[in-house]
Amino acid sequence: MASVTRTARVAQVRDHHRSYGDTAVLQGVDLDIAGGEFVALLGRSGSGKSTLLRSLAGLDASPASEVQVDGRTSVSFQEPRLLPWRRVTENVGLALLSTARPEERARRAATALGEVGLTEKGEEWPLSLSGGQAQRVSLARALVSEPDLLLLDEPFSALDALTRIEMHRLVLQLWARHEPAVLLVTHDVDEALMLADRVLVLDEGRLAHEWTLPTPRHARTPTHPHLSEVREQVLAALGVQTVDQKAAGAA
Amino acid sequence: MSALAPPRAATVRESTGANRTGPSPGRRRRRTPPLSWLRRWVSPLAIVVVWQLLSNAGVIPEQKLASPLQILATARDLVADGTLGSETVVSLQRVGLGFAIGASAGVALAVLAGLSRLGEDAVDPPMQMLRTLPHFGLIPLFIVWLGIGEAPKIALIALGVAFPLYLNTFAGIRSIDRRFLEAARTLHLNRRQRLRHVVVPGAVPQALVGLRQSLGVAWLSLIVAETVSASSGLGYLINHAREFLQTDVIVVGLAVYSILGLVTDAIVRALERKALAWRP
C-alpha cells in the first residue's frame, strides 16, 4: 500500500499568486507534494507560509489551474481550535460528521484519541486540557478522517520545549501509521530538519530553495554532518547570519 | 467564649464570599456552613417582627399597610377560595403568550441579521432605532390600536421581550470566534453542520444573558399592563383591592409577582448551568 500512495501526487501548485490589497504575498509558487511525503515549509514571518497553507486547505478560494489537491485535506492550527462546547471525543468525531454514522464516529474518535494517548480524556471539556493535550486532540481530529494531505500550521510553536519534543515524536509515529502527505509550516529550522523528507524556504513570494533529506530519522542528530551543512544553508536562505559571517562583517 | 471567637469570625467571612451573587471563583469551592445560612435570616425576620409589633400598637394603620399576620391570613383565604390561583393563572398565561411571541420574534430577527449581511442591513437599523424607545411609552398607542382587552397587554410584553433577546442573540452570533468557523470548514462541515455545531452553541452564552433580561422585562411589562387596565389577573386583584383599601390583598398580590419572578430566575439559572457546563 505504502509504495502505491507514495507515487501518486496529492497536491499540485502552479504559478500561484495571492495578494492582500496592494501587498503581493505569493508571486508564482510552484509546488508538488507526493502521497505520503513529509514536506516542511520555512520562511520568515510574513513570507506567506500560512497563506500557501490556507490555499491548500481551501480556506481561501484559488483557481483550480493554480492549486489542485487530490483527496481529503485536514488542518491542525497553531491554536488547537477545539470547540469548547463539545466534549473531546465529540470534537474528534466532528471530522467524520459527513462520512460516518454516530456509533462509528464515536468508535473511530476513541481510537484516534488512544493513538495520541488521551483515551481517558474523551469525556472532558476542551477548556480543561493543557496546551499540549489540546494540541494532541487537534492532531487526533485532523487524522481521524484519514486525510491524504495533512496541513500543520506551526502546530508546536506555542508549546514548551519538552512538550514540543514529545509532539515531534508523536507526529512521526502518526505519520508512519496513517501515511498522509504532510505539509508542516514552521519557523523552526531544527524542527524541519528533524521531521521532513524535504525542506522548502519561501522567500519573496516564491519557493526559492529546496533540500532533500535522505537521512533516516533515527539517525538525525544535531551533529550529523549532512544535516548541519543543510542547516547552515537553510539559515543563510532565511537571511540569518552565522557567527563566522558576523565576525567577518565586524572585522 | 474567647476561644470560640476566631472560628466564628472566619465563618462570617466565608459566608459573605459564598453568598455573593454572580460567578465568583469562590462560589464552587467553598461550602456555606449551615449556621451562617441561618444567620442571614435573622435581620429579615426581625424586620417582620418589628412590623407586626408596630401594627399591633397602631403605629402603622391597617389602611396604609396591613400587619404580617393579617397578610398571611388573607393569603390563606385567597388560596382557599381559589381566587389567587385563578388570577395567577390568568397573569401567567399573559406572560407566557407575550414571552413566546416576543422571544420567537427576537431570536428569529437576530438569526436573520446574524447570518447574512443583507439581513443585518435590513433588520438591524430599525431594531437599533426602536430599542431606544421606552416601550411603556407605547401604551397609549396600543390602547388606540388594540383596545383594552388582552391584545395590548400581550403586545406590550412581547415587545419588551423581543429587544433584549434580539440584541444579545445578534451580538452572540457575531461574536463567534472566526477561527472556530474556519476550523469547521477544514473539517469539511457543511453550512447546516457549522450552524449546529459552531454558530448556535457559540451564541448561546450571550443569548442566555438576553433571556434573563427579557424575562425580567416580561414580568415588569405584565405588572404595568395589568395596572393600567385589567378585569382579571393579579393586577386586577391588586387594583380592585386598592379601591377598598385592602392593603393585605395588595401585598399578597405583590408577593406572588416576586415569587413568580424568583421562580423564572431559578429556571434560567438551572438552564445556564446545564448549557454552559463546558465553561471551566
Side-chain angles (χ1 to χ4, degrees), chain A residues 26 33 63 114 158 197-198:
Chain A
L26 300 178
I33 301 176
D197 294 316
R198 193 149 61 101

Side-chain angles (χ1 to χ4, degrees), chain A:
Chain A
M1 279 302 286
S3 57
V4 176
T5 51
R6 268 164 206 275
T7 53
R9 187 175 52 206
V10 170
Q12 177 180 306
V13 180
R14 288 287 174 274
D15 196 27
H16 184 38
H17 288 75
R18 186 169 291 284
S19 49
Y20 293 120
D22 293 336
T23 320
V25 183
L26 300 178
Q27 308 180 62
V29 170
D30 291 301
L31 172 64
D32 282 315
I33 301 176
E37 186 187 19
F38 200 130
V39 180
L41 177 60
L42 288 157
R44 299 193 80 108
S45 298
S47 62
K49 314 187 284 292
S50 291
T51 306
L52 180 56
L53 180 136
R54 290 178 62 86
S55 289
L56 284 164
L59 285 172
D60 301 326
S62 315
S65 58
E66 292 187 17
V67 178
Q68 208 182 330
V69 178
D70 298 322
R72 190 179 166 107
T73 57
S74 65
V75 186
S76 188
F77 296 94
Q78 180 176 351
E79 339 79 59
R81 301 198 190 184
L82 305 176
L83 299 181
W85 43 79
R86 291 284 184 266
R87 290 180 195 274
V88 167
T89 310
E90 293 169 329
N91 258 288
V92 177
L94 282 178
L96 304 170
L97 216 50
S98 307
T99 51
R101 297 182 154 279
E103 316 85 64
E104 199 201 338
R105 276 209 300 272
R107 188 181 54 74
R108 283 172 65 183
T111 310
L113 277 179
E115 285 177 3
V116 299
L118 289 175
T119 303
E120 76 285 2
K121 295 287 182 188
E123 288 307 299
E124 303 273 322
W125 297 109
L127 292 181
S128 71
L129 303 178
S130 71
Q133 288 171 339
Q135 198 56 267
R136 273 146 72 194
V137 174
S138 172
L139 268 181
R141 188 174 69 174
L143 282 165
V144 73
S145 59
E146 298 289 343
D148 300 285
L149 176 60
L150 173 63
L151 300 160
L152 303 175
D153 192 1
E154 305 194 20
F156 317 125
S157 57
L159 304 175
D160 66 82
L162 294 177
T163 311
R164 202 178 308 158
I165 291 170
E166 287 170 5
M167 290 294 284
H168 289 164
R169 291 183 178 164
L170 179 64
V171 162
L172 286 178
Q173 213 178 335
L174 293 170
W175 172 66
R177 182 175 302 163
H178 296 275
E179 300 182 328
V182 179
L183 180 72
L184 168 69
V185 165
T186 179
H187 54 241
D188 183 339
V189 177
D190 295 314
E191 181 172 284
L193 293 177
M194 284 297 288
L195 299 177
D197 294 316
R198 193 149 61 101
V199 176
L200 307 168
V201 168
L202 192 60
D203 190 19
E204 295 190 338
R206 284 189 193 83
L207 286 175
H209 312 272
E210 176 174 334
W211 295 265
T212 309
L213 306 175
T215 319
R217 284 174 180 76
H218 62 81
R220 294 190 188 183
T221 57
T223 52
H224 187 282
H226 176 60
L227 284 185
S228 50
E229 192 184 314
V230 172
R231 188 173 187 278
E232 289 306 311
Q233 291 170 6
V234 172
L235 285 172
L238 289 167
V240 180
Q241 289 193 331
T242 57
V243 180
D244 293 347
Q245 287 167 330
K246 269 191 194 154

Side-chain angles (χ1 to χ4, degrees), chain B:
Chain B
M1 281 306 284
S2 61
L4 271 174
R8 285 179 63 136
T11 318
V12 175
R13 231 182 296 126
E14 267 184 314
S15 79
T16 48
N19 283 307
R20 215 179 293 130
T21 50
S24 73
R27 200 173 50 148
R28 256 193 303 178
R29 254 178 280 135
R30 285 182 183 169
R31 291 267 125 179
T32 315
L35 184 70
S36 73
W37 176 79
L38 217 73
R39 289 162 69 106
R40 293 184 58 78
W41 281 95
V42 171
S43 55
L45 280 173
I47 290 171
V48 173
V49 168
V50 170
W51 173 8
Q52 181 66 47
L53 291 175
L54 290 175
S55 295
N56 289 351
V59 180
I60 303 175
E62 200 190 323
Q63 288 181 347
K64 299 289 179 197
L65 184 62
S67 75
L69 287 174
Q70 172 71 39
I71 290 166
L72 269 181
T74 306
R76 205 171 48 228
D77 292 347
L78 286 172
V79 171
D81 70 6
T83 318
L84 194 61
S86 60
E87 303 297 0
T88 304
V89 167
V90 169
S91 290
L92 268 175
Q93 279 171 346
R94 285 178 187 144
V95 165
L97 194 58
F99 178 80
I101 295 170
S104 315
V107 171
L109 288 170
V111 169
L112 197 66
L115 295 187
S116 82
R117 290 285 162 192
L118 185 68
E120 182 183 355
D121 290 343
V123 173
D124 200 49
M127 291 301 277
Q128 296 292 347
M129 290 172 197
L130 286 174
R131 85 187 168 105
T132 57
L133 198 68
H135 74 297
F136 293 140
L138 290 172
I139 291 174
L141 269 183
F142 278 1
I143 291 176
V144 170
W145 294 340
L146 304 166
I148 53 165
E150 289 301 293
K153 297 181 186 61
I154 289 164
L156 192 71
I157 295 166
L159 194 72
V161 163
F163 280 93
L165 262 175
Y166 167 79
L167 294 169
N168 283 288
T169 308
F170 177 57
I173 293 173
R174 277 298 152 88
S175 68
I176 290 166
D177 196 331
R178 294 193 60 79
R179 292 175 307 173
F180 289 144
L181 288 167
E182 231 172 57
R185 280 172 59 206
T186 67
L187 294 168
H188 305 269
L189 267 57
N190 61 34
R191 193 177 153 80
R192 200 176 52 81
Q193 292 166 333
R194 292 203 297 271
L195 269 180
R196 182 172 159 207
H197 294 282
V198 184
V199 177
V200 171
V204 158
Q206 191 66 36
L208 280 172
V209 173
L211 176 66
R212 226 166 155 167
Q213 286 178 9
S214 72
L215 281 169
V217 175
W219 288 117
L220 203 62
S221 304
L222 173 80
I223 295 167
V224 170
E226 289 189 336
T227 307
V228 169
S229 76
S231 53
S232 60
L234 284 168
Y236 167 74
L237 191 75
I238 291 172
N239 273 342
H240 189 68
R242 186 200 63 207
E243 288 176 24
F244 300 96
L245 300 177
Q246 293 170 323
T247 52
D248 48 351
V249 177
I250 294 177
V251 174
V252 170
L254 291 177
V256 175
Y257 273 143
S258 62
I259 288 168
L260 291 174
L262 282 174
V263 168
T264 44
D265 205 52
I267 292 171
V268 175
R269 262 197 259 183
L271 211 65
E272 279 177 349
R273 260 199 304 278
K274 195 165 158 47
L276 304 181
W278 52 270
R279 289 189 166 179

